């Protein structure tokens, strides 16, 4: 190797490495083994960090984000207008949607002229970051505080949540409206 190539440093900093011979004790690694054993013994006498799950439940963080849900308004109509901002803001590209025009007689189902005919979230890709919730101008999608994120399944297709699993149940929308009116 030429000296010009040896002097090149990608970071702009050079570090001189020494080839110092190890002593006999250093070659035995006795000090390193004793340090490791001391750490192990120290942890052996500490209180265990394990919780007994079914009996004890760990408290969730105040910024916890659970499963996705598509909101309905007070009349039970879907809030989503298929603008696609949630899909664009998703860093994992987990959201896919297809927009459609509302037909005559479907005014009780959708708020706006345009609605999401197909709205799917691939839960295997989703990282529960909440950017879809922040990007939505109509406040149509939100991440709940439910403790169950995604139920265990065996097939990949079962992890793609469509509108059947995402849209808020009508009873819940009516209950939310009653709570808002009571306050």
């Amino acid at each position: 190797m030429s000296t010009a190539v040896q002097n090149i440093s990608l970071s702009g900093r050079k570090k001189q490495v020494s080839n110092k011979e190890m002593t006999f004790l250093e070659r035995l690694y006795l000090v390193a083994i004793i340090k490791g054993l001391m750490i192990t013994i120290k942890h052996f006498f500490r209180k265990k960090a394990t919780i007994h799950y079914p009996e004890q439940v760990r408290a969730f963080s105040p910024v916890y984000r659970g499963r996705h849900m598509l909101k309905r308004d007070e009349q039970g109509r879907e809030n989503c207008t298929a603008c696609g901002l949630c899909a664009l803001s998703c860093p994992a590209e987990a959201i896919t949607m297809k927009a459609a025009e509302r037909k005559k007689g479907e005014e009780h189902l959708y708020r706006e002229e345009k609605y999401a005919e197909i709205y799917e979230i691939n839960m295997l890709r989703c990282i529960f970051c909440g950017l879809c919730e922040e990007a939505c101008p109509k406040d149509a999608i939100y991440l709940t505080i439910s403790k169950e994120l995604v139920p265990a399944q065996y097939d990949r297709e079962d992890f793609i949540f469509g509108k059947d699993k995402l849209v808020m149940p009508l009873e819940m929308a009516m209950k939310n409206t009653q709570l808002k009116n009571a306050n």
Side-chain angles (χ1 to χ4, degrees):
M1 214 180 236
S2 70
T3 57
V5 175
Q6 288 177 346
N7 292 335
I8 295 175
S9 171
L10 294 177
S11 65
R13 297 180 299 238
K14 287 187 177 180
K15 186 172 184 177
Q16 192 67 29
V17 179
S18 67
N19 273 341
K20 186 186 86 151
E21 278 291 320
M22 292 173 51
T23 64
F24 177 72
L25 284 176
E26 289 174 336
R27 280 188 274 154
L28 284 179
Y29 296 107
L30 196 57
V31 175
I33 291 171
I34 291 172
K35 283 183 182 178
L37 281 173
M38 293 304 293
I39 290 172
T40 304
I41 291 169
K42 184 170 61 172
H43 284 285
F44 186 72
F45 292 109
R46 279 195 183 158
K47 186 178 182 264
K48 307 293 184 267
T50 306
I51 63 166
H52 301 287
Y53 172 64
E55 295 84 25
Q56 297 174 341
V57 179
R58 182 174 286 151
F60 284 99
S61 168
V63 293
Y64 169 76
R65 297 181 179 103
R67 283 183 61 173
H68 298 74
M69 188 170 284
L70 289 172
K71 281 188 185 175
R72 293 181 187 255
D73 65 0
E74 59 276 347
Q75 297 174 4
R77 302 175 298 183
E78 292 180 17
N79 285 3
C80 182
T81 59
C83 64
L85 290 175
C86 56
L88 287 173
S89 69
C90 182
E93 297 178 359
I95 301 173
T96 56
M97 65 173 36
K98 180 182 173 192
E101 293 289 325
R102 181 177 71 186
K103 295 174 183 66
K104 191 169 184 167
E106 291 183 337
E107 291 83 16
H108 66 285
L109 295 175
Y110 311 108
R111 266 171 70 168
E112 306 287 334
E113 296 293 323
K114 201 168 104 178
Y115 71 97
E117 181 180 27
I118 297 171
Y119 193 100
E120 294 178 339
I121 300 178
N122 187 340
M123 291 299 180
L124 293 174
R125 284 186 173 185
C126 181
I127 58 174
F128 297 92
C129 63
L131 291 176
C132 55
E133 183 179 20
E134 292 176 21
C136 185
K138 298 291 183 178
D139 197 29
I141 188 165
Y142 73 102
L143 280 81
T144 63
I145 55 171
S146 69
K147 291 178 175 59
E148 182 183 12
L149 287 177
V150 180
Q153 301 290 337
Y154 289 106
D155 297 324
R156 284 183 160 292
E157 294 81 31
D158 295 335
F159 289 103
I160 298 175
F161 284 19
K163 285 177 74 172
D164 57 330
K165 294 181 183 176
L166 293 172
V167 175
M168 176 188 286
L170 191 56
E171 303 84 38
M172 188 185 292
M174 296 303 177
K175 187 177 171 184
N176 288 347
T177 303
Q178 290 171 356
L179 290 174
K180 284 181 189 175
N181 293 340
N183 291 336

